[in-house]
Amino acid sequence: MALTVGGSSSVPSADGASAVKEYGLPTEEDTAAWAALMRPCMGHLQQIKPAGVMACVSRLADKATVTAVSVWLHCGLHYQPRAPADPICTPPVAGNMPPLSQPEKGCCFFPLRRDESGVVCWEVRVFRASRTGELRAVAGRWVIELVHLPNRGDPLRFCAASDTDAGEWHRQLRMRAAPLELIWTRHVGVARGGGGDGDGVCPALGEPAAARRHLVMDALTRGASHLVATGALEGVVGVAEFVTDVTQTEAANLAAAAGPMVGVALQSVCFAARVCAAAHCVFEAAAQASADVDGLHGVCRRLLVALKDVRDDADVGAAELHHLLSRLLADVETAAGELHHLVRSRRQRAWLACSASCRGVEVDSALGDRLSQSRQKADGLLQELLLALQRQTAVDTGHILAAVGPEAQLAAASRAGWQGLPRLPDEDSIFNDWGDPTLPPARLYDAVMRSGATASAVVGAHGMGGVGKTLTCLLVAHKVSVENSGQLRFPDGVHWAQLSHHVTPTDVRAQLCHLTTILSGTPAEAIDTEFAIKQLRAVIKDKACLVIVDDVWHKERAAPFTRALADSERSLLLLSSRRLDIINASGRGRNVLCVKVGERHGADAEGVLLTHAERGAVVAKDKTVERVRRAVELCDGHPLALAVFGSIVRDRARGSPHEGGWVAALDKVGSHRGGLLHQSSGLDLKYGCLSDCLHASYAALGEDDDDRSQWTKRFRALCVVRSKEQLPWPALAALWNPGSRAAVEEIASVFHARSLVSLRGSGPDETLSLSLHDLVIDFLAGVFATDAAGKAACHQSLVKGYCEVNGIAAAGEGVSLGRTRVALRPLWLLPRDGYVERTLPHLLVAAGAADELVLLLLDMRFIAWRVKVAGGHCGLYRSDCRHAVGVAVLGDVVTVVEGAVGTKGRRLTARLQQAAWEVVTRFGALLAEGAAEADRSALTYLCESARAYLVSPSVELLGASRLLGPQERHVLPAFGQGKLLCAGFKESGGLFVVTAFSHSAVPTILKVWDEESEAGLTELEDHVGEVECLAVVGGSASGTPQMVISGSGCALRVWDPERWSCVAVLEGHTNVVLCVTHVVSASRRDTPARLLSGSRDGTVRVWDTDRWSAGSVTVLEGHTGPVTCLEVVDNSECASRVLVASGSCDKTVRVWDLNDGKCVTVLEGHADLVTSLVVVGGDGSGTPAYVVSGSADGTLRVWSEAESWSCVAVLEGHTQSVDHVAVVRSGACGERIWIVSACSSWVAQSNALRVWDTKDWSCVALLEGHTGPITCLSVVDDDGFAPPRVVSGSMDQTVRVWDVAAKTCVLVLEGHLYRVTCLAVASGPSRGKPALVISAALHDKVRVWNLAGRSTQVASARHKESIWSLTAMSGSGHDGAAVRLMSASRDVVQVWDTDTWSPVAVLSSGDDSNRGIVAVDREGCGVPTHVVMTALDKLQVWDMAGTCVAEWSGHTADVFDLALVSSADGHAAARVLSASGDKTVRVWDVGSGACLDVIHFPDSVRQLAVLDAGESGSPARFAAVIGSFRGIGSHDDVQVKCVDQASAGILGGTHPIPFPCIAAVGGGARACAPYLVAASLTGTVSVWDWEHTSCLHTFDERTMWIRCASWWPCPAAETGRPSGVLGSGGAAAVNGPAVAGRSAAAFEDAAVLVEESGACALVDCRQLTLRWLPAPPDVRSVCCLPGGRMAWGTRTGRVYGGRVSL
């Protein structure tokens, strides 16, 4: 009999009282009960479980077991078995979650999600078990049953002691099903959560070492806490009052946190929680995730408090926000419950560890997805909350203004109207008559002030350059701001946004946010342009303001302002532009009124002229009406020409007051007018009048001055100024050499008075800068049209002036460069002023100092300066190199520097040292091997300068170790997880690369690398989801503009690669866009160019490429599954049709006619989804059209149009899904055509490409060479390669180039560290230019390869996999050093001769289990005879012939590391230590293989380091890294143990740190090392005195260390052979005398570290210093050898040997 049914049995009504009754919630006055409800409750019950797995069988149906359990209700139901004790069952009481010390067995979890909006997630019933029911085994007992809805599933049942106890458990469960919205809106004041003593929803695990609280979140939390504590929100209306009622500090914090940054913070928290828990699901990581979810929970709870003040009216709408927040908090609470279970359940962790398959423990994907969704909901909710507050503020402001009357409105408008407006020029330099309605300012003002039916949504001022558009807009802006009529029309002020020709989307976004901040009164920021538009639209909707956007050059830059003002009926947008079409397009279908600002005529022109001629009360005596009119005629009414002419008159009149200035000015200008048409003026003919005036003004410079030539020279010197450049006063001082800053300002003012230049910062406390109008720049170009030497002298003067001011002189003798000697100045010492550091290469070339520039570009000091100026990338240096023509080696230099400085993990100074070292090593080897004679002088100087730049410590490679010249043309920085890639050439010939990198559910941001840009990278934002397709369409011979298409979510974005602006957003699909293709309009057809897109919604949409905004032209419907691929069928036999083929997951291919949008045929036959399509023939060559489709069924099918689209061939041979298909043509007319296909399967047989001949559709070749699955395929369509070539990328980290005709691999491109994920081929804009191949890899740099003239550089002795371990073997080489080295990887173990650094033997074919390796002497001969290697949970012994001779068993889990301990007499190695995940270290006898001892530890043993070999009679001692998992947040201890004895100490045991590597350091030839170096994944490096358990010093480099090695122990002087520890896992140490007279003592106290990106550092334990050490790139393992020698193993499978120089 059931007492009650359902903790969520019915949906609560909207009535609060009914809801309280429904859920059994406390009364509003019962604060104690409300507080208890927000904390955990716990008690004891008995769980009812079936007797066994066969309990469903009838004879066992009455069998059940009853287990005593402890139960906690907190973010779900948690229960755990307990020992039976009285009382067995208890009612629930308030309490805490149990403390966490370590995971426990038997922890179970039952999620209990709260109800929401009528949705019931679970049900609870309480009843007494019947004697005849399924629970007759517990007949008579009170049962509590919980079941999930709607699928119900297996119920969870407990027994309670009595009906009273069962009822109380039922009441607690019902209350915890109540929506959080209901609970917190009713009693927010005591809303507390907690586990333990905290107030969060997650387990209180203490503050993790790696926990970093976000500043923005802290600010929000502190501000909101103050509001809750003080009740400041009570009765407050609007954001402004909200801020004034909190303290100043907290108000600032809250203001800083307001706006979209809140969404960013919450996004970061949720993302951090998911990533941290998923990647490193260990106790510490779970603690971090718990803390972050707690922070999200607390902040959202406080935001609900703030929502109390948001009204629920039509304008604001708080009810929906309350509902959204309630749902979000329910999601977070559920996730918190799962985290509770995760950190408490040992079984859950073990299950996750198994499922992770050696990749680190991950939280299950369902929890990760839910946390990701919570992040998205939080972001959207906070954006909506911000907009609601802004809407409410706007409504309230309108009510207030209506109440205070027009006078107060005018006062407020007067204050607001001046905000952000540029100042007007001096009054005496402006002519305007507001009473003349024909003048542009009056006409523009009239257009702006219109209202009602005659008002326009957009007003524009357009005209050619120099006619005064900006001044006209500025006059209107100030008139509106100060006059009553303007203030009443626009009470919310006038606001100015300044654009320009080179403005970026980021600049536009900043302008939008600034305008939002001004209008709303609260700081506004936006993570993308779309949200910035959304913010401004919400704020300005009910405002009445004038927004002026000046100097618009591109439609897409004005579009955000137009869209933001689209809903505002009272505001107005005023644009100024040279292009009328931009202004008209900004109307977006609404009324647009344009006012032309052009030449002045009549009295207006005379007024402008006289304003400038009589400025400063200078009136020429010879002024007459006729002369004034003649001057206007000469100037053609052009405002800038009138200003220049007026300045000439004024200057003449001031110099000759008795003669006047009009006659002289007319003569001067008139004398130039006749000759201008016959000589270059630098200006377009339509600006001829301006040229006349500029010539006259230029000729009149300093006419009445004794130093006239000096004034002319100074103005001519301004030819160095380029368009939009600002010359700061240091540049002007260097250019003019006037002697003082005051003199600079005086000269600039004279030119400004003549209207020749523009000045900024001429006021007090401002920085002066000078610029020229584009027309003046053109004029100066004409002045120097026949005087190239004079122009070069001006540039020389500027550079020389900079050097003189800064005390820089050229080297005395000069530097040899080829057959010439070049005087080199150390220009890298020039201080930055915002100008010289950007323009220096241009200045040098223009000054005729191209040779000096070449020398600078080869100087490492200059290279480092350019990288620093650019902010740490090579964009500026690469741009510099384009100025040096004919120096081929510079391209390779840039690539080397690019690769070195682009590797993160080190400070920039260390990366530059690495770059210098690579330059010396790579190009020094090229010189030694015989470089081309033309390059020798450049390479010699390059290497010398780089060598001089290096500081100690440094490295010299030895023997056969070589770093070769780069194969790549470019190495671009790593961006993340590369997914998609496209590339092309701009009209100018510059390469661009666009990459899309996925990062969970975060919207994708495209990264653009432009070869011609100095900025490094450009980001293309505004995507709403993950980009699924990316392509370059049009351009070249297609006759259509080149565009980049990106598909994100349900929309396509079209980008202009010339300006990297979004020109269109194509919307219409209802699901994710998966593929695109381009249909080019042929000359014989009337069909225009089209873009086609396929989507998961099963449709193909056709878009008009001429009118992007017109929407899709046609929708092709018919597929029943997602469209996966598209291909154009160019049918030349039927010119009236354009056919397109589409493949789908519905296993079919459909052929469509684009003219009528109908499906021509459906091609059926594949047994699985269609993955790819290509078309052969039908291209005008007379051959029939064939469509070839690849499928997941492992076949390719050939469909022939000539045979009514029947399947004419089935190409079989692949055993897995055919994922990549390409067409390869040979010859200009494509005489031979092949189909190349590949799979992405891990099956070894699938690593080959298959080549099919289209003549008979037979497989003619298998292209073998890849050792991993093929991930991408592209065709090199380039006349530079006569034979057809195809390029493939693979998971084996390589890119291979294949000659299809010869059926061979002609090139292997190596360099990627991880699997290659995508490829692109960029063809040159003109025929004959070699194509470039671009490849991206997982978490790796993007590499650009130039195939022309490159030869394969495959080393014959490299590993195919990353080298995990290097171990030294003893020997007696010519220098007494160890001459054998073992390198182990997943594929092989090799032995190297360290005299020559060449491989000598292969010991075994390695496998995944080879994590540790040591060389041992089992025969007492003094040299290694065998090798011991790990093999899962065993140890294998191999002889030097590569035969496994023994296997040592005993461990019950994987063995992670090995170490070797010598015998007490030092004559024979006696014992091997093995560390295992079974929490033991075993001691093995080398000779017999017997296990001598088992040493137990509290957790898995990850690594070993022998500290004391025990040769002096003391017991051998070693250090062990103890921890269950490796990763950030793991609990790792370093324990010191004695072999056969108890523990000697724990290092850092009270504060566990994730130590992935340790090494014993110091001690020289002694058997005991005094130091232990421990490096962590968190970037810390600790130097320990391990005998006294004292930490001597800790370094923090903010990186992740992965390997550590040292030179301990050094050999005894009288012996030339090894003793002590020969090697261990990744940190081997060997003995040997000094090499070449070098002292081993120099290295005995040093250790070498390797960090995650492959860089190395040197730690001196005696001096306690850490210095970065140059090394081969991408190091994965390291081994220290005698005499300061080292060996490095890389991620690319190479081994290098070298010597360290201190």
Side-chain angles (χ1 to χ4, degrees), residues 1446-1468:
E1447 191 171 82
W1448 300 345
S1449 302
H1451 285 293
T1452 59
D1454 283 358
V1455 180
F1456 296 127
D1457 195 17
L1458 300 177
L1460 186 64
V1461 181
S1462 67
S1463 62
D1465 58 9
H1467 285 88

Side-chain angles (χ1 to χ4, degrees), residues 1560-1566 1568-1571 1606-1610 1643-1646 1661:
V1561 182
R1566 294 180 299 160
C1568 179
Y1571 306 112
S1606 76
W1607 279 273
W1608 180 82
C1610 292
F1643 302 96
E1644 67 181 34
D1645 295 321
C1661 297

Side-chain angles (χ1 to χ4, degrees), residues 969 984-991 1011-1012 1276-1281 1321-1332 1346-1348:
R969 172 172 168 174
F985 288 96
K986 300 170 67 174
E987 290 298 322
S988 60
L991 173 72
E1011 189 176 37
E1012 297 179 343
V1276 180
D1277 184 13
D1278 186 358
D1279 286 347
F1281 287 125
V1321 175
S1323 298
S1326 60
R1327 307 299 288 177
K1329 184 173 182 177
L1332 299 177
N1346 186 354
L1347 306 186

Side-chain angles (χ1 to χ4, degrees), residues 434 580 701 874 894 946 1057 1242 1381 1486 1512-1513:
W434 290 110
L580 183 61
L701 280 171
C874 282
V894 178
W1242 279 100
L1381 179 80
V1486 170
S1512 59

